[in-house]
Structure formats: C-alpha cells, structure tokens
Amino acid sequence: MSNQNWMKETKLIHTGYQHSEHKDALTVPLYQTSTFAFPSAEAGEKRFSGEEDGMIYSRLGNPTVRVLEEKMAELENGAACLAFGSGMAAVSTVLLHTTKANDHVLCSRGIYGCTFGLLELLEEKYSITHTFHPLDTADSIEAAIQPNTTVIYVETPINPTMELVDLELVATVAKKHGIRLIVDNTFSSPLGQSPLQIGADFVLHSATKYINGHGDVIAGLLIGTDEEEMLKIRMTVQKDVGGIISPFDAWLILRGLKTLSVRMERHVKNAEKIAAFLENESFVEHVFYPYSDKHPQVELAKKQMAFGSGLVSFTIKGGKEAAQYLMNQLELVQIAVSLGDAETLIQHPATMTHSVIPENQREEMGITHSLLRLSAGLEIAEDIVEDLRNALQATEKKFTFHS
Ligand SMILES: *Cc1c(COP(=O)(O)O)cnc(C)c1O
C-alpha cells in the first residue's frame, strides 16, 4: 500500500505493506525462515536469473525485511533500501561499494567512532585514505578534494558536538566533481532531515537508535537514489559480506517505526527543555543543541532540519573527574551509550564512544573530557531536569574550591 500524497507520519504506519499479499493480516507477519521452497526446478532457475520475482534465501531477501525496506525507501525519498544487522554493516557495505584500493574519502570534521575505526582499517588494508574537514565553504571543500576522492562522507549533526554541515552546499560541490555523497542521518531520523532530497546519493541509519526506538535491536538501513545500483549492492557486497538483518529484528523495527513520529515529538520537546535548563546552570560551560538560539549554526539548523532532535551535548567545569562524578550522581538518567531510546541516557564520549580516536585528533573535533552527551528519553521533562539539577548541584559543591 502506498500513496504519494500521504504525509510521512501516515506512511510510517501504512506504506510498503499489502494485507492481501499476507492472508489479510493487519500487521506485518514475521517470516522466520532461512530459505524458501521453489514450486519447481524451473521456477528456482528463474528466480536465480532474475527473470521471476520471488524469494530465494533470507540473505538475499525476506518478506518481513522487504516491508521494512520499502517503507524506509519511501520515508527517505529514495529508490530502494537495504536492511542490515547493524548500522556499521550499512556503513561498511556502502563504503566497500563506493571505494576501491587507493581512493580517498573526504569526511566531515567528526564521525561516529566505529566509522572512524573502519576507515582506519580500510587505509591499513587497502590504502583507501581519509581526511577530516569542516566542509563549511565551497572553497574549503574544493581545497580538501583530492584527485582520488570518490566519496564525501558526512554526519550532521556531528556526533557528539552537534556541529552541522550544510548538506545543500556539500551536495552541490560533490555533484560538480562527480563525487558520491553519503550522509549518516541517524541523529535526525527520516522525519528530521531528508538528505536525498537535498542531493545526497546515499543516506544511512543506525536503526538501533530512533527508528527502532526501544533499545532492543541492533540494525542498520541504507537508502539510495538509484534502484539498479541498490540491487547491485544487494547482490554483491550485501550478499557476499553478509551483514544482513534477522527477520525478527526487522519485525521489531516495523513495530517501533509506527510510533516514530509521536516518539520524536516527545524526544524533541524534552531535549529543548533540557537544553534551556542547562543553558542557565552556572556549572555548565557550553550547551550544544542545534535549535537553540545560542547554537552558532541555528539558521542552518532551521533550514535543513525539521527539528533539533533529541540529543543535547554540554561541557561542564572541572574536566573528566567532574564529568564522571556528575554521571554517577544521576538517578533517573542512565549511563549508557546508544541514543533514541525511551530511557534518557548520558555518556562521556572521550572515554566511551570516541575513545578509539587518538587524543589530539579527538580534541581537534571538540571532544574534550568536559563534554557529555545526553539522549533525551520519553519521560516527563520535569523529572529529567530535576535529576540533572540535583547531580549538577552535588558536582558543583564537590568541584568548586573557594579560596
Ligand atoms: C550508533 C551509530 C552508528 C552505528 O550503528 P550500530 O547500529 O551501532 O552498528 C553509526 N552512526 C551513528 C551516528 C550512530 O549513532
């Protein structure tokens, strides 16, 4: 079922699923099967040759997974989507597809810690190099492009500093130079930002985060603008490297997706209130939230993002010791990596998600020991704020020395 006129909030629930093809089941059935029985040897031959549509083996496709893929392709305004067993499987698949030995990947100033780790591995094994740049003007992007640059890889907002990259600007320069643009859209969800509409070639998600939203699945999604190319990825890197999603995890994500728009509303509302509270706290140095009037790129945020999303980063006085002390004082807010769950989560990027990045490079990205990243959950904002207030007061008391 699909109707181009529907809003994304409606598509989340209905698109990609046809009751009549599934014994009229209202919700998507779980096809927990590894393989499919062909009606005849000839039918099997035709399915393998691509002459006939139909399932073959769940590494190449599964009906439950297909519903998720169709829904996400539509939500991200793409031609096709592939689902994976983790966000990193989506990242590694698209990078293996778009690069070959001796190519260069141009990256935004910060990227997810494991994406950084993967790029280091690709450099060590296949001499695929990478560099990080702010990508803030056409001149600076062009200066950073090398003769062997085949991919620009962007995260925006950048994790965990909430710095933004102007997608329209980067897409324009990438197009001019025939370079593929890949955008990690995990932080915004398909409701917050539409990179393919702005000119990106691929958008990917760690579906572990907002898309599933319930903290019980690890999965990834890759959406592209060229259907034939996406089919090629399905039948090469995805099939042969094999980082596919399980039907059960796809089923859980389909369940989670139905409430994405109502969940995002609460995540965003809570994050706004938390950011506003932190901005007035004396022990807090800086607050990083894209839709805050104090964010240096708030205009860009309002241009390319429908909302500021649910993540708030902030620095406090007193460095690592104070940051860790603060985390330990929290009662409601849980100390955990990941984001987009019902529970409000806090983490210390320098010693957790971004600890694999060498210290000097990490500091250049703005990830100091004073920085904390909070993922606003679905609780009532007042309870989260109260927990933060108590923890900040205790930390300020312990780490402020009066002479
Ligand atoms: C979590 C995350 C990833 C990796 O996804 P997994 O599902 O953990 O493999 C990639 N990019 C961003 C921005 C993330 O937050």
Side-chain angles (χ1 to χ4, degrees), residues 232-366:
K232 187 178 170 206
I233 300 174
R234 185 191 289 285
M235 299 312 283
T236 55
V237 187
Q238 190 188 34
K239 169 174 81 68
D240 299 334
V241 177
I244 52 134
I245 192 170
S246 81
F248 181 57
D249 286 351
W251 184 83
L252 282 171
I253 293 172
L254 283 164
R255 194 176 198 264
L257 259 182
K258 290 188 189 183
T259 56
L260 180 68
S261 69
V262 284
R263 285 188 284 110
M264 288 315 294
E265 266 178 45
R266 177 65 78 85
H267 285 305
V268 170
K269 203 167 93 185
N270 283 353
E272 284 172 350
K273 288 186 180 169
I274 292 165
F277 160 74
L278 292 171
E279 279 170 356
N280 287 316
E281 281 294 291
S282 58
F283 201 64
V284 174
E285 279 180 331
H286 294 286
V287 178
F288 306 95
Y289 184 67
Y291 256 51
S292 160
D293 289 336
K294 297 202 171 83
H295 193 290
Q297 293 165 294
V298 63
E299 261 177 56
L300 175 60
K302 295 197 169 164
K303 181 182 125 191
Q304 70 184 22
M305 300 170 79
F307 45 65
S309 202
L311 287 137
V312 182
S313 290
F314 60 102
T315 54
I316 57 163
K317 296 171 183 167
K320 177 178 164 182
E321 244 184 286
Q324 290 184 331
Y325 186 84
L326 171 75
M327 292 165 86
N328 290 334
Q329 304 314 302
L330 293 161
E331 186 191 347
L332 174 68
V333 178
Q334 299 299 307
I335 306 170
V337 296
S338 200
L339 56 103
D341 291 340
E343 297 82 0
T344 296
L345 306 177
I346 195 165
Q347 67 116 349
H348 186 243
T351 59
M352 295 178 181
T353 50
H354 291 70
S355 56
V356 296
I357 302 174
E359 177 132 21
N360 61 331
Q361 244 175 306
R362 206 170 58 220
E363 300 255 336
E364 259 173 52
M365 293 175 178

Side-chain angles (χ1 to χ4, degrees), residues 45-56:
E45 181 183 4
K46 283 185 181 147
R47 286 189 196 179
F48 267 87
S49 70
E51 261 174 87
E52 184 188 299
D53 225 16
M55 294 292 150
I56 297 175

Side-chain angles (χ1 to χ4, degrees), residues 31 33-36 56-63 65 244-245 247:
Y31 288 85
T33 184
S34 57
T35 198
F36 298 84
I56 297 175
Y57 182 67
S58 280
R59 182 152 37 73
L60 314 181
N62 171 285
V65 175
I244 52 134
I245 192 170

Side-chain angles (χ1 to χ4, degrees), residues 1-3 6 10-11 13-17 67 70-71 74:
M1 196 151 81
S2 179
N3 183 328
W6 286 338
T10 303
K11 287 182 178 173
I13 298 167
H14 294 284
T15 293
Y17 180 60
V67 177
E70 276 187 35
K71 209 181 273 284
E74 183 126 351

Side-chain angles (χ1 to χ4, degrees), residues 223-238:
I223 302 98
T225 51
D226 181 337
E227 195 168 0
E228 228 169 279
E229 183 178 22
M230 292 301 285
L231 182 64
K232 187 178 170 206
I233 300 174
R234 185 191 289 285
M235 299 312 283
T236 55
V237 187
Q238 190 188 34

Side-chain angles (χ1 to χ4, degrees), residues 61-336:
N62 171 285
T64 309
V65 175
R66 282 290 161 89
V67 177
L68 172 63
E69 290 172 339
E70 276 187 35
K71 209 181 273 284
M72 281 303 300
E74 183 126 351
L75 285 165
E76 279 290 9
N77 310 291
C81 165
L82 301 173
F84 295 86
S86 71
M88 285 315 302
V91 173
S92 54
T93 296
V94 71
L95 283 174
L96 287 174
H97 169 73
T98 49
T99 61
K100 58 181 186 339
N102 304 309
D103 281 350
H104 169 251
V105 180
L106 173 57
C107 301
S108 51
R109 214 161 77 94
I111 52 170
Y112 183 69
C114 299
T115 305
F116 177 87
L118 173 70
L119 286 168
E120 292 276 295
L121 187 74
L122 292 178
E123 179 152 354
E124 192 186 309
K125 295 185 92 70
Y126 309 116
S127 305
I128 298 165
T129 56
H130 59 273
T131 50
F132 299 96
H133 295 273
L135 309 176
D136 50 2
T137 62
D139 287 346
S140 77
I141 303 168
E142 295 202 316
I145 291 173
Q146 300 178 11
N148 58 340
T149 305
T150 50
V151 171
I152 300 181
Y153 189 97
V154 167
E155 246 172 61
T156 181
I158 294 175
N159 178 18
T161 55
M162 303 298 150
E163 201 180 300
L164 306 183
V165 177
D166 187 333
L167 289 173
E168 196 179 347
L169 172 72
V170 177
T172 306
V173 178
K175 206 134 275 168
K176 183 175 153 200
H177 292 264
I179 296 169
R180 316 304 298 278
L181 174 60
I182 304 170
V183 179
D184 182 335
N185 205 24
T186 303
F187 270 33
S188 299
S189 91
L191 301 177
Q193 193 169 264
S194 299
L196 296 183
Q197 254 178 343
I198 304 178
D201 298 288
F202 296 98
V203 49
L204 62 91
H205 286 274
S206 166
T208 314
K209 317 293 168 54
Y210 287 115
I211 288 177
N212 179 55
H214 291 72
D216 47 18
V217 167
I218 288 190
L221 296 158
L222 172 69
I223 302 98
T225 51
D226 181 337
E227 195 168 0
E228 228 169 279
E229 183 178 22
M230 292 301 285
L231 182 64
K232 187 178 170 206
I233 300 174
R234 185 191 289 285
M235 299 312 283
T236 55
V237 187
Q238 190 188 34
K239 169 174 81 68
D240 299 334
V241 177
I244 52 134
I245 192 170
S246 81
F248 181 57
D249 286 351
W251 184 83
L252 282 171
I253 293 172
L254 283 164
R255 194 176 198 264
L257 259 182
K258 290 188 189 183
T259 56
L260 180 68
S261 69
V262 284
R263 285 188 284 110
M264 288 315 294
E265 266 178 45
R266 177 65 78 85
H267 285 305
V268 170
K269 203 167 93 185
N270 283 353
E272 284 172 350
K273 288 186 180 169
I274 292 165
F277 160 74
L278 292 171
E279 279 170 356
N280 287 316
E281 281 294 291
S282 58
F283 201 64
V284 174
E285 279 180 331
H286 294 286
V287 178
F288 306 95
Y289 184 67
Y291 256 51
S292 160
D293 289 336
K294 297 202 171 83
H295 193 290
Q297 293 165 294
V298 63
E299 261 177 56
L300 175 60
K302 295 197 169 164
K303 181 182 125 191
Q304 70 184 22
M305 300 170 79
F307 45 65
S309 202
L311 287 137
V312 182
S313 290
F314 60 102
T315 54
I316 57 163
K317 296 171 183 167
K320 177 178 164 182
E321 244 184 286
Q324 290 184 331
Y325 186 84
L326 171 75
M327 292 165 86
N328 290 334
Q329 304 314 302
L330 293 161
E331 186 191 347
L332 174 68
V333 178
Q334 299 299 307
I335 306 170

